[in-house]
Amino acid sequence: MTGVPASAAGGPSGARRVKGPASGGLTPASGRALAREARDRAPGGFGGGKARRDASGPEDVRAAAASSATSSSPSSSEGTGTAEAQGSTRAPRGGKIAAAAVDQASVWNIANLLTMLRLLLVPAFVMLMLADGGYDPAWRSFAWAAFAIAMITDLFDGHLARTYNLVTDFGKIADPIADKAIMGAALICLSALGDLPWWVTGVILGRELGITLLRFLVIRYGVIPASRGGKLKTLTQGVAVGMYVLALTGWLATLRWWVMAAAVVLTVVTGLDYVKQAIVLRRQGIAERKAALEETEE
C-alpha cells in the first residue's frame, strides 16, 4: 500500500524528531536560561537583574558626586580650619601691636593730664608759699588754692583712669610721685617757716617714702592693696596741711593742731599695718614658690 511517509503522517519517528533535540536547536531548560540571561543584561528590563542594579543613571551619578563631595569635605574643612587657625595665630600679633599703639596714644588722656597738672603745681605752690617771706596771708591763700587743686585732682585722676580704662604705665609711675611731691613740698615749707615741727614732717615723709619702698620690695610676691585707713589718712593729712597753709588764728588754729595730730596717728597706724601686710604677703609668696618647686621636682 502506498501510504504517506511516516514523517508526514506523524508516526513514531516524527514524534521523536519533534521531541528530540534537533541539530543546533534549544531544549526548554536551555531556552529559559538564555531568556533569563538576556533579561538580566537588558538595561531597561523588568526583572531588576544585575544589569539594572549596576546601571549608572543620572541619579546614581548625582549620588556618587554627592558622596565624593562629602568624603572630600573633611579635608576641605580641615584646610579651612587650618587657614582660620593660622589667621587666629597671626591675629594676636597684630592685636598686640594695635594695643601698644593705643597705649602710646592714651598717654595724653585726661587722667594723665591731671597728674601732669599736679606735678606742675608743685613748683608753683612753693613759690606762692614762700612769696614775700612766707607770711603774707594773701600769698598763703593763693598757695592754699594751688594745694587744694592738687589734692582734688588726685581724687579725680585715679577715678577717671579706673572708670574709663585710662590706666597707663606713665600714670602708675607719675601719680604717686605727684602725691608725694605736693605733700612733701607743703610739709617742708611749713617746717622751714616754723609753722610745723620738723618731727611731724619727718614722721609723715618717712612713712610715705618707706611704704613706697616697701611696695617695690614685695611687688614680686603681690600688690599691697590700699586700705580704708590709708585713704582716711590721706584725707586727714590733706585737710590738716591745708589748714596750716592758711594763716588761721584763734580757735581755727587750735582745731588744725588736733587735725594734724589725728593725721600723725593715722600715718603711724596705717604704716604699721602696711608693714604687717608686706610680711604676710612675702611669707605667702615664699611658701607658694617652695610648693611649686616641690611639685616640679616630683
Side-chain angles (χ1 to χ4, degrees):
M1 156 181 183
T2 52
V4 183
S7 61
S13 61
R16 284 194 302 271
R17 186 179 301 168
V18 173
K19 293 179 180 179
S23 74
L26 295 173
T27 63
S30 62
R32 285 194 299 271
L34 291 174
R36 185 165 53 253
E37 184 177 357
R39 187 169 61 248
D40 292 340
R41 291 181 179 180
F46 296 94
K50 183 179 179 181
R52 187 176 183 181
R53 288 192 299 269
D54 295 341
S56 299
E59 296 179 357
D60 297 324
V61 173
R62 286 194 296 270
S67 176
S68 63
T70 304
S71 62
S72 62
S73 62
S75 60
S76 61
S77 62
E78 183 179 353
T80 305
T82 304
E84 293 177 354
Q86 292 175 354
S88 63
T89 55
R90 287 192 298 267
R93 188 182 305 171
K96 291 180 180 179
I97 296 175
V102 170
D103 290 341
Q104 292 296 329
S106 64
V107 170
W108 298 100
N109 59 55
I110 183 63
N112 288 342
L113 290 176
L114 290 176
T115 302
M116 295 176 190
L117 174 63
R118 197 159 68 253
L119 288 171
L120 293 176
L121 284 174
V122 174
F125 167 81
V126 172
M127 289 187 294
L128 293 171
M129 188 71 182
L130 300 179
D132 198 12
Y135 297 102
D136 190 333
W139 289 111
R140 295 282 287 258
S141 298
F142 288 126
W144 176 87
F147 180 81
I149 292 173
M151 297 303 295
I152 292 172
T153 55
D154 180 34
L155 299 176
F156 279 102
D157 62 355
H159 176 72
L160 291 173
R162 291 187 297 269
T163 302
Y164 298 101
N165 195 22
L166 301 176
V167 179
T168 61
D169 292 337
F170 172 81
K172 293 177 183 178
I173 298 174
D175 183 71
I177 293 176
D179 297 341
K180 305 300 184 292
I182 189 67
M183 183 61 67
L187 290 171
I188 291 174
C189 288
L190 289 173
S191 295
L193 293 173
D195 294 338
L196 188 69
W198 277 104
W199 70 267
V200 174
T201 298
V203 169
I204 294 177
L205 291 184
R207 184 266 188 196
E208 299 299 330
L209 296 176
I211 296 302
T212 300
L213 179 61
L214 188 63
R215 286 176 181 271
F216 281 108
L217 291 177
V218 300
I219 196 171
R220 69 178 70 178
Y221 306 109
V223 178
I224 303 176
S227 61
R228 292 183 179 180
K231 294 178 181 179
L232 180 61
K233 178 268 307 178
T234 302
L235 177 62
T236 307
Q237 282 182 358
V239 174
V241 172
M243 294 180 72
Y244 268 87
V245 170
L246 290 172
L248 300 177
T249 57
W251 68 273
L252 289 176
T254 304
L255 178 62
R256 71 181 183 182
W257 186 90
W258 288 104
V259 176
M260 181 60 72
V264 172
V265 172
L266 288 174
T267 298
V268 175
V269 172
T270 55
L272 295 176
D273 181 64
Y274 274 117
V275 172
K276 178 182 176 181
Q277 292 186 47
I279 294 174
V280 172
L281 185 63
R282 182 176 180 274
R283 288 178 179 176
Q284 291 178 350
I286 293 175
E288 290 176 357
R289 288 190 176 185
K290 287 183 178 180
L293 290 175
E294 291 177 357
E295 292 180 358
T296 304
E297 292 176 356
E298 292 178 359

